[in-house]
Amino acid sequence: MPQGLILVPIQCDDNMYSEDSVFGAIAELEGAVSDRKLQPFGLRTSKLFKEDIRSRSVTVAGNATQASSTATTHENVLEWVKQDKRRMLHVVYRVGDMDRTIKFYTECLGMKLLRKRDIPEERYTNAFLGYGPEDSHFVIELTYNYGVDKYDIGSGFGHFGIAVEDVSKTVDLIKAKGGKVSREPGPVKGGNTVIAFIEDPDGYKFELLERGPTPEPLCQVMLRVGDLDRAIEFYEKAYGMELLRKKDNPEYKYTIAMLGYGPEDKNAVMELTYNYGVTEYDKGNAYAQIAIGTDDVYKTAEAVKLCGGKVTREPGPLPGINTKITACLDPDGWKTVFVDNIDFLKELE
Ligand SMILES: C[C@@H](O)C(=O)SC[C@H](NC(=O)CC[C@H](N)C(=O)O)C(=O)NCC(=O)O
Ligand SMILES: [Zn+2]
């Protein structure tokens, strides 16, 4: 074999193609030939052959580049999610008697009625209640559908959490007003926090948690999930939430994860509960969704899809009011609506 001859095996089988090996081979061939060190081994490296190799390598490279640029785009979107300005805005659920619920929430739970809107053409009324203005607090959005006085809460919805400075005093007030107490004040089983459970007129459970002063008394939405690690990964990657705490309770056969956009004692959080061995729940027709603010509903929807979530309402403006939203489901089928931050504030004006 003549000195300086380099045999460069080029596999042309698509399965064997790798960008490096083909480019490497072409470069060696071209380099060696141009340096006149290499007389192609008995074969002229025909222009056609090189073109074929190059075009295929360009195709491979093209596909590889496309794949890598797509991967980069996906990575960029998921990185963007972490930087997006997000906040839990409100939780939406249906009630059978709007005035009855407003009376209970204001007189027994100390909430303020923030606003009401009646949509007669759609035959429903909304009322927003909470512990502070909507531009800085997580609030409740009640929906009353004309003529519907009862809903099925199902087994998947858990509770709303309200932080109070004195659980027993709050419970006594609720009792005096005729409210239902389903769990008397005392330390949580397996823990120390003093809690109690009460039910509102529709049967929604509220956990009262004894805490010091907090900017966000409406502090939890508890939903049950069938696979906690799957849910945590989705809420972190698709929703950009932080896993604030995870607590396993083997004695009571459940695990909870707290996820949100800031510390648990100062922000509303999602409390996801996994009961050992329970993978499916009945979602009923009472609880609707949470709403989260975002700077870009389009990128948000893309991130949800990338993480395997289902976008049930493509991103874009709502007819008439032009607020940009997108709606999606998490792996357990719980709904979240993302609302454009600027449009949301305009709605409040
Ligand atoms: C952390 C605090 O906000 C809680 O909500 S923990 C309260 C605790 N939760 C559970 O037991 C969850 C599992 C249960 N099987 C379910 O699906 O709800 C609770 O409710 N404790 C009851 C008590 O009396 O302490
Ligand atoms: Zn809770």
Side-chain angles (χ1 to χ4, degrees):
M1 187 179 296
Q3 185 62 27
L5 189 58
I6 303 168
L7 283 182
V8 182
I10 297 178
Q11 290 286 358
C12 291
D13 172 343
D14 282 344
N15 297 325
M16 303 290 284
Y17 247 24
S18 79
E19 183 184 339
D20 292 344
S21 66
V22 173
F23 264 146
I26 294 252
E28 282 199 57
L29 274 176
E30 287 176 336
V33 169
S34 63
D35 294 349
R36 298 188 182 288
K37 289 181 192 137
L38 170 71
Q39 292 305 320
F41 178 60
L43 293 172
R44 288 207 57 73
T45 311
S46 73
K47 189 173 180 309
L48 182 60
F49 173 67
K50 261 175 70 176
E51 281 308 311
D52 176 56
I53 278 289
R54 177 166 293 286
S55 66
R56 289 165 72 91
S57 66
V58 166
T59 304
V60 165
N63 290 343
T65 305
Q66 175 61 39
S68 65
S69 65
T70 303
T72 307
T73 310
H74 290 179
E75 192 183 317
N76 290 348
V77 167
L78 296 180
E79 276 308 307
W80 170 83
V81 164
K82 295 174 190 168
Q83 312 304 323
D84 186 23
K85 189 163 147 266
R86 294 188 174 189
R87 176 172 73 90
M88 285 172 62
L89 303 177
H90 45 260
V91 58
V92 188
Y93 53 99
R94 304 172 182 98
V95 296
D97 180 329
M98 187 64 91
D99 293 338
R100 180 182 67 180
T101 301
I102 291 171
K103 177 176 170 60
F104 182 80
Y105 286 11
T106 53
E107 292 182 6
C108 295
L109 299 179
M111 291 187 200
K112 300 180 190 70
L113 175 58
L114 301 168
R115 61 181 166 124
K116 274 180 87 172
R117 65 185 178 196
D118 189 36
I119 321 284
E121 62 272 21
E122 303 284 335
R123 295 178 53 75
Y124 73 87
T125 305
N126 285 137
F128 294 78
L129 298 101
Y131 294 96
E134 288 180 72
D135 61 1
S136 56
H137 287 72
F138 182 59
V139 305
I140 286 170
E141 176 183 336
L142 300 176
T143 300
Y144 168 73
N145 289 301
Y146 292 6
V148 183
D149 61 1
K150 189 156 181 50
Y151 292 93
D152 169 19
I153 291 176
S155 60
F157 170 79
H159 55 258
F160 301 117
I162 297 183
V164 297
E165 293 187 44
D166 186 329
V167 169
S168 296
K169 186 177 167 193
T170 307
V171 164
D172 291 345
L173 170 65
I174 290 167
K175 282 180 177 172
K177 294 276 183 181
K180 179 178 177 185
V181 178
S182 55
R183 193 269 199 197
E184 292 294 334
V188 63
K189 287 176 186 160
N192 301 310
T193 307
V194 174
I195 67 166
F197 278 100
I198 60 126
E199 290 183 14
D200 83 350
D202 287 273
Y204 289 101
K205 282 190 169 54
F206 282 76
E207 181 186 29
L208 305 178
L209 300 105
E210 196 149 290
R211 272 186 194 163
T214 170
E216 202 65 284
L218 181 60
C219 61
Q220 292 179 354
V221 176
M222 192 281 250
L223 301 174
R224 298 182 178 98
V225 296
D227 180 331
L228 192 56
D229 289 335
R230 179 184 66 180
I232 290 170
E233 183 178 16
F234 184 79
Y235 278 69
E236 285 182 315
K237 287 188 175 170
Y239 292 179
M241 289 188 180
E242 180 188 347
L243 176 58
L244 302 164
R245 178 163 65 103
K246 184 178 178 183
K247 187 169 186 297
D248 187 34
N249 292 273
E251 185 182 0
Y252 298 99
K253 296 182 172 47
Y254 75 90
T255 310
I256 57 172
M258 302 296 194
L259 295 116
Y261 297 109
E264 194 178 337
D265 61 343
K266 295 185 173 61
N267 294 268
V269 300
M270 295 304 298
E271 177 184 2
L272 304 181
T273 296
Y274 170 70
N275 286 296
Y276 292 5
V278 183
T279 55
E280 297 285 341
Y281 291 97
D282 166 18
K283 291 188 178 53
N285 62 359
Y287 174 85
Q289 74 249 3
I290 59 162
I292 296 174
T294 174
D295 280 347
D296 189 322
V297 295
Y298 302 92
K299 283 184 181 176
T300 293
E302 196 179 337
V304 166
K305 289 174 184 172
L306 282 176
C307 296
K310 185 167 189 262
V311 172
T312 54
R313 199 269 190 199
E314 289 297 327
L318 284 167
I321 56 172
N322 288 327
T323 298
K324 292 183 289 299
I325 69 162
T326 187
C328 57
L329 302 179
D330 75 3
D332 286 274
W334 293 114
K335 183 177 176 185
T336 296
V337 173
F338 285 88
V339 183
D340 181 90
N341 284 320
I342 293 171
D343 295 346
F344 174 69
L345 292 177
K346 281 181 189 162
E347 262 194 39
L348 301 182
E349 283 168 2

